Amino acid sequence: MDCSLIEFVKIQRHFFKEFTNTLKKIKDPRHQSYITYGAETILYTILLKNAFGIDSMRSMTERFNKEECIKNVKKVLGLKQLEELPHYDTINDFLFKLDGKELEKVRTYMIKALLKKRCFESYRISDKYWLIVVDGTGIHTFKEKHCDHCLRREYKDQEIRETKVIYMHHVLEAKLVVGEMVFSIASEFIENESEDAPKQDCELKAFKRMAKKIKSTFKRLPICLLGDSLYACEPVFDICHDNKWKYIFRFKEGRIKSIATEFQAIKYLEENNKKNKHEKKREISLFGPPIFHITTDA
Ligand SMILES: [Zn+2]
């Protein structure tokens, strides 16, 4: 067996005993009478491609379709038969049809397996809370309409003095932070329901949907959310309160008046209580009102 593949399988078996079984449970979207490869074979092939840093589907087919590699994949997946690894067209076709929720199930299994192994216990905040960072990010921009779900933003083209529209796709990610590593635990696409939706989707709306998913997937996980100033608002505080989540959000002057007043009050209290200053700060950030950082960036 290829040396790096041995290491890969060792890690897989150590941390994720049920990994191949989880892949086998994936709901296959294809017509079952025409398929050559099971969902687990296709997903395992693409996983190897990414784990081994192969950057194109074509070079993957070239590198993996060797007798020894095929034999190894067959063994790891416990298959009765495997003559060849799937061609990249087959993989692309499968991924195109696959419901993203099916992949989310695999991710959830992996995160829960890692937490159960208790290998990251030392990274809990105050030995209790798991730090989950939330942030939205752009994944695609287009000059022309790409689909009915695109987000749109108008801008002024200075050269031709015309208002133009840019089309975008964004995603909101929730990531578990353990030391220098982050693990994605939830993803929510920020996209419009339809082209004529009266109001566009946005990061906060996506957060509300995502919070529901995180709560139902990780019901009793003690969470401390970390987010930028966008999250420092009443609706998000309410969600955190209802879900019993702690939070640390960046505070920008002017975002909410009541918080600015509260911040000044806390600061005043802190300044007037130099005794056990360090301890006090810690307490405020985690168990009392959240601590806010005043930022100078625009
Ligand atoms: Zn689109």
Side-chain angles (χ1 to χ4, degrees):
M1 218 188 249
D2 186 307
C3 201
S4 44
L5 187 59
I6 293 177
E7 289 306 313
F8 182 82
V9 174
K10 260 195 208 165
I11 293 168
Q12 180 198 316
R13 290 193 172 152
H14 177 75
F15 289 101
F16 313 108
K17 282 204 166 54
E18 290 301 313
F19 187 72
T20 49
N21 283 335
T22 309
L23 290 186
K24 283 176 188 175
K25 281 185 211 148
I26 274 189
K27 236 183 257 161
D28 196 327
R30 301 164 302 164
H31 197 298
Q32 295 302 294
S33 37
Y34 303 124
I35 65 166
T36 315
Y37 303 101
E40 75 275 23
T41 312
I42 294 181
L43 287 171
Y44 204 79
T45 309
I46 195 82
L47 185 76
L48 288 180
K49 168 193 172 281
N50 292 334
F52 289 89
I54 299 169
D55 50 15
S56 80
M57 294 293 250
R58 192 180 296 270
S59 47
M60 174 197 71
T61 306
E62 280 162 17
R63 182 163 161 197
F64 287 165
N65 256 325
K66 293 183 182 126
E67 209 174 316
E68 204 191 352
C69 190
I70 298 167
K71 232 167 58 191
N72 290 332
V73 172
K74 184 179 159 196
K75 198 174 160 192
V76 173
L77 293 176
L79 303 172
K80 284 193 187 96
Q81 223 183 351
L82 186 69
E83 307 290 329
E84 259 186 353
L85 285 178
H87 188 267
Y88 59 82
D89 281 339
T90 313
I91 298 178
N92 280 340
D93 175 64
F94 172 81
L95 291 177
F96 187 74
K97 290 176 181 158
L98 184 68
D99 185 345
K101 287 193 184 83
E102 294 300 313
L103 291 179
E104 282 178 6
K105 285 182 200 164
V106 181
R107 171 172 63 184
T108 300
Y109 157 70
M110 294 178 83
I111 295 293
K112 286 189 173 174
L114 285 175
L115 293 175
K116 222 170 164 180
K117 274 245 170 229
R118 303 177 68 86
C119 28
F120 301 128
E121 290 300 301
S122 61
Y123 294 106
R124 290 194 192 212
I125 300 176
S126 290
D127 295 328
K128 182 168 182 186
Y129 298 98
W130 295 102
L131 192 62
I132 309 278
V133 56
V134 283
D135 201 10
T137 178
I139 38 178
H140 298 292
T141 50
F142 306 94
K143 282 185 178 160
E144 308 209 327
K145 182 188 149 185
H146 149 267
C147 70
D148 288 345
H149 309 288
C150 286
L151 299 173
R152 302 175 303 273
R153 188 189 292 150
E154 286 187 357
Y155 71 100
K156 216 160 189 103
D157 190 316
Q158 299 295 356
E159 253 174 55
I160 53 170
R161 296 182 169 211
E162 244 180 60
T163 303
K164 287 198 159 183
V165 179
I166 186 166
Y167 297 87
M168 305 163 296
H169 276 253
H170 286 194
V171 68
L172 175 64
E173 272 286 306
K175 289 187 161 79
L176 171 70
V177 184
V178 280
E180 289 179 355
M181 288 188 286
V182 290
F183 298 96
S184 173
I185 67 154
S187 314
E188 185 68 37
F189 289 101
I190 309 170
E191 53 184 25
N192 295 330
E193 248 172 60
S194 63
E195 203 188 354
D196 47 17
K199 269 195 167 177
Q200 295 209 71
D201 198 13
C202 66
E203 190 170 331
L204 275 183
K205 284 190 206 166
F207 173 74
K208 286 176 194 167
R209 301 193 295 270
M210 178 188 257
K212 266 189 203 153
K213 277 198 213 164
I214 295 177
K215 188 63 191 174
S216 74
T217 312
F218 302 98
K219 283 183 189 67
R220 281 180 297 277
L221 196 70
I223 285 175
C224 178
L225 283 185
L226 182 69
D228 61 24
S229 61
L230 177 80
Y231 293 89
C233 63
E234 217 60 59
V236 176
F237 297 151
D238 290 344
I239 290 171
C240 291
H241 183 262
D242 292 347
N243 291 338
K244 298 187 173 68
W245 294 342
K246 300 287 174 188
Y247 49 89
I248 302 171
F249 297 136
R250 186 166 276 262
F251 168 66
K252 215 193 278 182
E253 201 107 43
R255 174 93 174 116
I256 311 179
K257 210 180 158 213
S258 62
I259 289 174
T261 318
E262 200 175 328
F263 175 80
Q264 292 305 336
I266 295 169
K267 212 170 129 195
Y268 176 80
L269 280 175
E270 278 200 340
E271 280 165 3
N272 282 278
N273 191 0
K274 301 261 158 117
K275 222 172 100 190
N276 299 327
K277 200 179 171 197
H278 182 67
E279 282 304 304
K280 191 101 186 164
K281 257 188 184 167
R282 247 177 106 77
E283 212 174 293
I284 284 173
S285 67
L286 296 171
F287 301 110
I291 195 158
F292 297 103
H293 307 273
I294 291 184
T295 60
T296 47
D297 47 24

